[in-house]
Amino acid sequence: MQRQGSTRQASGYNQPRSKAGNGPRRKGTPLILALLLVVGWAISFADVTAVDAEAFSKKIGASFHWFPVQKSFIMVADKDTAKFAIGLPFAYVNGESLDLSASPVLEDGHLWIAEYDANRIFQKAKPASSSSTAASSSAVKNTTAQAAKSSASNKTTAPKNETAGTREVKTIVIDPGHGGKDSGALGKNSQEKDIVLSIGKLVKKALEKEGFNVKMTRDKDVFIELGQRANLANQWDGDLFISLHCNAIDATPERKKQIRGYHVYVLRAPESEEDKAIARRENKVATLYGEKNAKEELSPIEWFKLEARLEKYKQNSYMFTEEMLKALDGGKIKRQAGGVGGAGFMVLVGALMPAVLFEIGFISNLEDEAYMMSKDGQADIAARIAKAVSTYKEAVHSYRETLGR
Ligand SMILES: [Zn+2]
């Protein structure tokens, strides 16, 4: 099987199998170990065909994530999850240890694994065998054969179309919540849809000054369905999706006075009733206006299906959340207890990029409301969001540098 642009002969890729002895102590009878060492000797002389793990993931529709600190990476396909680490001759596939025909290496800014391993893990090309020795023997034959076949096109090409989160940050999608017939939460003197639109426009202006390409799901008072917002963001191929909202609580005046502050939300299974309630409120518009596939909560099975896709953007969504917390620190509107939450926000479900939902403050609290309505308040909040985007861009850039890109 020839892989254009993602296959190559990695010089120095061959890892003597005896290196396995340096790894953690693992189960196995002495006989099997001895056989593995013999086989390993053969492998160290064979030419192993390597594939770029990230490009391979993309090709099979799996998500890919690199953890620079742990020097490990994960590939999540529909049915199989595999964890690899640089220099370790085994991987964890669906929680079980699996011997690799060669250890993954980091070279030229790319993570390389043996094509044979990639195929047998993700395409079930694993040869039928009655013992691990037989499987390993096939590995030698197979990789040597692969090497012979691909030696004609010995080239390295960086994967094109890097996904949002791993590539440089350029396009920011600002999503002012609600609009038109959907006013969002109501304050004493304001409506959520107006506040988030004003602040969204200011964020756009600030980011454009910094050289970002900025798109808005709405730049006027119009109604847009929740699902359509993510669709737009995907069409624009955004690198980051920021949905702007105002929080609200339906309670006694005394309680409204107490409950205030901002909150940054990512898409994940909710961990508290409060988070669930906020998602239900923000999702209500879809059921209220008869949006297709509208629902206020995701079922456990829907969460399960969503998880593999989320894995791809989760780390970056949290990275941006961290930058938001730093930028908002010291502002007039304080962080609400915890400051970070997760729930099933429908507006984030379809976005194929790192995404957060920012509840700027409580419109039901008079002080928060006044600040969010004021010219100075809006300018300050917008500047802080823009600052968070800039530092996030730098963080992603540094992350890429750990890969030598
Ligand atoms: Zn809202």
Side-chain angles (χ1 to χ4, degrees):
M1 186 184 296
Q2 203 54 254
R3 293 185 188 289
Q4 289 296 339
S6 62
T7 307
R8 65 160 203 171
Q9 302 299 116
S11 62
Y13 181 73
N14 302 326
Q15 307 284 320
R17 192 43 164 266
S18 50
K19 266 195 179 175
N22 299 334
R25 204 180 157 73
R26 295 160 55 228
K27 283 181 202 162
T29 66
L31 174 66
I32 287 176
L33 277 177
L35 284 167
L36 282 173
L37 284 173
V38 172
V39 170
W41 184 248
I43 286 175
S44 70
F45 283 96
D47 236 346
V48 176
T49 303
V51 290
D52 175 329
E54 188 174 1
F56 184 87
S57 299
K58 198 174 171 65
K59 189 173 173 124
I60 62 167
S63 71
F64 173 88
H65 220 97
W66 158 243
F67 304 97
V69 177
Q70 296 96 328
K71 296 266 184 288
S72 66
F73 55 98
I74 184 168
M75 294 162 76
V76 183
D78 275 352
K79 290 184 184 129
D80 303 297
T81 299
K83 284 182 186 171
F84 301 84
I86 302 299
L88 286 187
F90 56 93
Y92 283 103
V93 180
N94 302 322
E96 303 235 25
S97 172
L98 175 81
D99 286 319
L100 298 174
S101 56
S103 306
V105 293
L106 170 61
E107 231 178 70
D108 308 328
H110 297 279
L111 296 153
W112 302 94
I113 55 176
E115 183 178 49
Y116 170 76
D117 291 328
N119 283 337
R120 71 179 167 143
I121 292 169
F122 292 104
Q123 289 169 15
K124 299 291 164 237
K126 192 173 182 174
S129 64
S130 53
S131 75
S132 61
T133 313
S136 299
S137 299
S138 315
V140 178
K141 210 168 61 195
N142 234 304
T143 48
T144 310
Q146 295 282 7
K149 266 200 288 177
S150 59
S151 59
S153 62
N154 182 3
K155 56 181 176 181
T156 334
T157 319
K160 288 182 186 113
N161 306 320
E162 287 182 291
T163 53
T166 58
R167 66 188 178 206
E168 297 287 355
V169 178
K170 289 183 180 130
T171 302
I172 311 298
V173 181
I174 306 290
D175 173 49
H178 313 278
K181 62 189 173 189
D182 170 25
S183 55
L186 299 176
K188 191 156 184 280
N189 306 301
S190 66
Q191 307 183 74
E192 178 181 1
K193 66 172 184 177
D194 298 325
I195 289 177
V196 295
L197 179 59
S198 301
I199 293 175
K201 283 180 179 171
L202 293 173
V203 175
K204 180 176 195 277
K205 212 185 267 178
L207 288 176
E208 279 174 345
K209 263 191 205 155
E210 300 277 323
F212 287 98
N213 174 30
V214 188
K215 300 283 189 184
M216 292 182 82
T217 53
R218 68 178 180 100
D219 58 5
K220 48 182 170 306
D221 187 17
V222 289
F223 176 77
I224 300 171
E225 292 191 340
L226 291 184
Q228 179 61 9
R229 294 168 189 259
N231 288 345
L232 285 169
N234 295 339
Q235 274 170 35
W236 292 323
D237 200 16
D239 293 305
L240 182 63
F241 183 85
I242 308 171
S243 193
L244 299 174
H245 292 262
C246 300
N247 223 332
I249 184 166
D250 190 14
T252 61
E254 198 47 45
R255 200 151 157 67
K256 282 183 174 176
K257 219 170 159 178
Q258 289 165 354
I259 306 295
R260 54 183 304 195
Y262 75 81
H263 222 106
V264 184
Y265 287 94
V266 295
L267 184 60
R268 69 157 192 240
E271 286 163 11
S272 73
E273 283 307 315
E274 286 83 0
D275 288 349
K276 248 191 207 176
I278 288 163
R280 268 200 303 271
R281 184 171 56 71
E282 297 293 7
N283 292 338
K284 208 172 205 144
V285 55
T287 43
L288 200 62
Y289 295 110
E291 187 170 332
K292 222 194 269 175
N293 304 323
K295 50 178 77 83
E296 288 180 17
E297 275 183 72
L298 288 168
S299 67
I301 188 79
E302 284 166 323
W303 273 116
F304 183 77
K305 284 182 188 162
L306 194 60
E307 259 172 14
R309 187 152 62 75
L310 282 182
E311 186 67 39
K312 195 169 183 173
Y313 309 114
K314 206 166 67 185
Q315 181 166 320
N316 282 72
S317 299
Y318 280 113
M319 246 165 99
F320 178 63
T321 300
E322 279 302 311
E323 299 306 328
M324 281 287 279
L325 299 183
K326 278 188 242 164
L328 293 162
D329 228 22
K332 178 95 191 318
I333 298 180
K334 304 292 176 220
R335 193 187 300 187
Q336 213 200 350
V340 182
F345 293 101
M346 295 306 160
V347 68
L348 304 183
V349 166
L352 302 174
M353 64 198 72
V356 302
L357 185 142
F358 178 36
E359 297 278 2
I360 302 165
F362 275 78
I363 202 170
S364 50
N365 175 276
L366 286 176
E367 283 174 79
D368 274 8
E369 184 194 22
Y371 193 68
M372 291 191 289
M373 283 176 72
S374 72
K375 203 164 170 264
D376 287 354
Q378 292 185 348
D380 179 63
I381 293 161
R384 288 172 190 276
I385 297 170
K387 165 91 177 145
V389 173
S390 286
T391 52
Y392 168 72
K393 176 198 160 89
E394 285 161 23
V396 171
H397 183 73
S398 308
Y399 168 89
R400 287 170 56 82
E401 280 184 339
T402 66
L403 283 167
R405 287 183 188 166

